Amino acid sequence: MQKYRTLFAATLAAIIAMPALAQSEAGLVTSLEAEKKINKKWSLGLGAELRTRNDFKTLDRWKFGIEGSYKINKYMKADAGYDLLDYNNREKVEYYTSSGGNAKIKWRPSYWGIRHRFHVSLTGDYKFSCGIKVSLRERWQYAYRPETAATRYKMDISDQTMTLDEDYVRSSKSKHTLRSKLQVEYDRKGALFTPYLSAELFNGWKTEKVRYTAGTDINVSKQHAFNVFYRYQKPYDTSDSDYDYDPDMHYIGIGYKYKF
């Protein structure tokens, strides 16, 4: 019995400390992309991405995607795509009081779960004679999480007991998001570097988060290009979040793109 009480105390201390320890985190984003230009109007792309969190120590998600784009005219482009994602869902803690007045906790450890994501975008851009290019992208995104069996524990603080919630299943969930992205880049024909700055707003009937990115494309040749960036992600409204907290994120990104 003493062993279980010690385990309970250690688990409880870790749960209470989680929100305080995660106000800001760092992660790495790595990506591989391939793009095929079918003709002057149409192109098709494939991509894979791996992302970490918890100051680079924890794998956060992987993603595989396909996208098709159509150039409407010189200044406008439309695209649509699908992504298959596998998320390492964060821990979730719920504090509540039972009918008898005992303080209790529901604790769901982290777990992996599949999600499906579809998007349709419209991008307009204008390039000035000095090489500065300004673009605005509006993207509608639909995400779906299937019903998933996950582990959850019920903890009674008064009795110092922890039991497995055997009936717990995470229900399916869908979400619509509007993503608005403004980007400014310095694009000179034949230049090795194409530096850029961007800000992206996530809106699901309310402002949920904003991403600020500074980086550069490294144009090794017409076929091969690399991308490096720094990204700061700030959450604003986490009331609809799957987690107890959604920390500020600092990302370092490294990507490679092949065109053929």
Side-chain angles (χ1 to χ4, degrees):
M1 179 61 71
Q2 183 60 37
K3 180 178 69 173
Y4 292 108
R5 289 183 181 275
T6 302
L7 176 62
F8 172 86
T11 305
L12 180 61
I15 290 173
I16 293 173
M18 280 191 300
L21 294 175
Q23 298 304 310
S24 180
E25 294 182 6
L28 177 69
V29 180
T30 57
S31 63
L32 293 172
E33 296 180 66
E35 183 181 79
K36 170 64 176 178
K37 190 171 183 179
I38 301 172
N39 54 41
K40 292 183 178 180
K41 296 281 188 179
W42 290 94
S43 62
L44 183 67
L46 296 172
E49 181 184 279
L50 196 65
R51 193 174 74 182
T52 67
R53 65 171 190 256
N54 190 26
D55 297 337
F56 309 101
K57 297 190 290 288
T58 302
L59 188 59
D60 185 39
R61 77 173 191 191
W62 59 259
K63 178 182 77 173
F64 292 105
I66 183 170
E67 181 180 86
S69 64
Y70 175 75
K71 193 170 183 63
I72 301 171
N73 55 42
K74 184 179 179 180
Y75 306 104
M76 195 77 67
K77 181 182 75 171
D79 64 72
Y82 163 77
D83 295 315
L84 174 66
L85 306 102
D86 195 6
Y87 272 91
N88 184 3
N89 292 270
R90 290 180 182 268
E91 298 162 298
K92 183 178 177 72
V93 182
E94 298 177 70
Y95 300 89
Y96 69 103
T97 303
S98 67
S99 57
N102 292 337
K104 294 191 175 185
I105 294 175
K106 292 179 182 177
W107 172 47
R108 187 195 73 208
S110 61
Y111 75 97
W112 286 90
I114 292 290
R115 298 186 190 184
H116 305 277
R117 197 166 72 185
F118 304 86
H119 73 262
V120 177
S121 308
L122 188 64
T123 304
D125 64 69
Y126 183 82
K127 186 176 180 179
F128 296 90
S129 58
C130 61
I132 294 177
K133 182 178 178 181
V134 180
S135 64
L136 176 64
R137 188 206 68 197
E138 294 292 347
R139 169 172 290 180
W140 167 79
Q141 176 179 288
Y142 171 76
Y144 175 72
R145 182 192 71 202
E147 182 177 275
T148 308
T151 301
R152 187 173 70 176
Y153 295 95
K154 292 181 178 179
M155 307 172 68
D156 191 311
I157 298 177
S158 301
D159 297 339
Q160 296 189 21
T161 58
M162 181 168 64
T163 58
L164 178 64
D165 187 354
E166 297 180 353
D167 299 325
Y168 177 67
V169 175
R170 292 202 74 193
S171 60
S172 61
K173 182 180 180 181
S174 60
K175 186 176 183 181
H176 299 268
T177 306
L178 179 64
R179 297 172 56 173
S180 304
K181 182 178 179 181
L182 178 65
Q183 179 165 302
V184 179
E185 61 186 74
Y186 185 50
D187 183 14
R188 292 180 301 154
K189 187 176 181 179
L192 177 61
F193 296 99
T194 305
Y196 62 88
L197 296 169
S198 70
E200 184 174 9
L201 176 68
F202 290 68
N203 193 330
W205 304 110
K206 55 184 177 291
T207 301
E208 297 176 343
K209 62 183 174 184
V210 179
R211 283 178 178 172
Y212 302 98
T213 306
T216 185
D217 293 329
I218 306 173
N219 308 298
V220 179
S221 67
K222 289 184 178 180
Q223 290 183 309
H224 305 278
F226 293 89
N227 178 33
V228 293
F229 65 82
Y230 162 76
R231 175 177 294 154
Y232 173 65
Q233 181 172 289
K234 174 70 176 177
Y236 283 95
D237 191 324
T238 59
S239 58
D240 193 38
S241 175
D242 290 335
Y243 323 118
D244 272 357
Y245 52 82
D246 196 1
D248 294 356
M249 292 298 305
H250 301 269
Y251 289 113
I252 298 297
I254 304 172
Y256 167 74
K257 187 173 187 177
Y258 175 71
K259 295 182 179 182
F260 60 99

